[in-house]
Amino acid sequence: MSALAIIGGSGFSAFPGLEVLERKPVETRYGTTSAPLVRGLLNGQPLWFLARHGPEHRLPPHRINYRANIQALADVGCSSIIALGAVGGIHPSCAPGVLCVPDQLIDYTHGRLHSFFDDETDGVEHVDFTHPYDESLRQALLAAAAEAGIALRAGGTYGVTQGPRLETAAEIRRMARDGCDLVGMTAMPEAALGRERALRYATLAFVVNWGAGLSNDAITMAAIHAQIERCADEIGRLLAVLVERRPGN
Ligand code: HPA
């Protein structure tokens, strides 16, 4: 059966409105997932939910077992993944509060287990990653936002940093020169592993702060959490409409 999965990031270790039917601990040949997979109903529609940073948000971005997470979702029959991600805004149009469905990414991470093709038993396959996000899932997100009356930035380049520290002002200036509109820490290797397992993958990013050096305000966790709370209602409404479109099928 092909199913839809939502991977929740910061602020979404649980998912508001999700009726939980089952919590399924999953062990894969790549290890254990960040949290038990949750099988549930959102707006009456079946889906799987996974808390990327663990149930209590204890896993930093570079310690997440992305391979186990993606393998487990593939193993339970997911064909499509909507990844939620709190991000910093770099482009002037990406102010805190903006929701965005990026269409490109640049990977600045290092030292993460980033491929299923990792030793001689796996062989070598170079997957096409020209367009890292699945266009049909992106369009489903955009259509759901339009239907729900929620403003969304369609497109943008997500720069993925190693973290867990935030960036320097010079790093953000370099990322802006590189063409990044958003900065976050978790889209890679998650997106590439999804592609290696032939899963459709799209990100719904929500801007929770300006990138380092782009505002006079210090970037604090308190301010980030306050902004996540302000975005949560719109994200919940958007996803409730999205699941009715059954994009997993
Ligand atoms: N940088 C990297 N990741 C982030 C940020 C940021 O400013 N905000 C939220 N996630």
Side-chain angles (χ1 to χ4, degrees):
M1 196 194 86
S2 57
L4 174 69
I6 294 176
I7 300 182
S10 297
F12 290 93
S13 295
F15 198 82
L18 181 70
E19 185 189 330
V20 176
L21 301 175
E22 178 190 1
R23 287 179 206 279
K24 188 180 167 76
V26 183
E27 183 67 30
T28 72
R29 73 175 264 220
Y30 304 100
T32 312
T33 55
S34 296
L37 301 190
V38 175
R39 187 170 64 83
L41 296 172
L42 182 64
N43 203 10
Q45 302 295 330
L47 57 76
W48 288 92
F49 176 78
L50 174 60
R52 186 190 283 121
H53 296 277
E56 282 153 26
H57 202 277
R58 288 184 178 274
L59 282 172
H62 65 292
R63 306 290 300 180
I64 291 166
N65 190 338
Y66 295 95
R67 296 199 303 180
N69 289 350
I70 295 295
Q71 186 64 57
L73 292 174
D75 287 348
V76 296
C78 292
S79 56
S80 299
I81 297 175
I82 301 288
L84 302 182
V87 295
I90 298 180
H91 191 275
S93 67
C94 295
V98 166
L99 303 188
C100 179
V101 179
D103 60 349
Q104 277 297 330
L105 60 78
I106 298 178
D107 187 6
Y108 300 90
T109 68
H110 50 86
R112 300 183 182 189
L113 292 170
H114 64 286
S115 177
F116 290 115
F117 303 109
D118 201 39
D119 61 33
E120 284 172 26
T121 54
D122 300 315
V124 185
E125 198 178 312
H126 304 285
V127 294
D128 184 347
F129 206 45
T130 312
H131 302 290
Y133 296 109
D134 180 81
E135 193 53 29
S136 67
L137 263 194
R138 291 190 62 254
Q139 292 303 327
L141 279 166
L142 299 178
E147 191 180 325
I150 293 168
L152 201 62
R153 188 181 200 267
T157 297
Y158 178 144
V160 197
T161 57
Q162 178 72 354
R165 68 165 177 84
L166 295 161
E167 297 70 35
T168 67
E171 285 169 339
I172 291 292
R173 285 196 299 270
R174 180 182 75 155
M175 293 177 77
R177 287 194 300 275
D178 285 353
C180 295
D181 302 301
L182 308 167
V183 53
M185 299 177 189
T186 55
M188 286 294 285
E190 199 171 81
L193 291 164
R195 181 62 54 85
E196 286 186 353
R197 284 290 179 257
L199 306 181
R200 294 192 281 172
Y201 182 98
T203 288
L204 174 59
F206 47 103
V207 183
V208 295
N209 58 279
W210 282 112
L214 297 180
S215 114
N216 292 329
D217 303 331
I219 307 173
T220 65
M221 288 307 289
I224 287 178
H225 284 301
Q227 188 58 57
I228 289 173
E229 269 178 36
R230 284 194 286 274
C231 294
D233 174 62
E234 279 194 337
I235 293 169
R237 285 195 293 120
L238 195 162
L239 292 177
V241 174
L242 177 88
V243 293
E244 284 190 326
R245 298 175 161 259
R246 308 186 66 100
N249 296 313

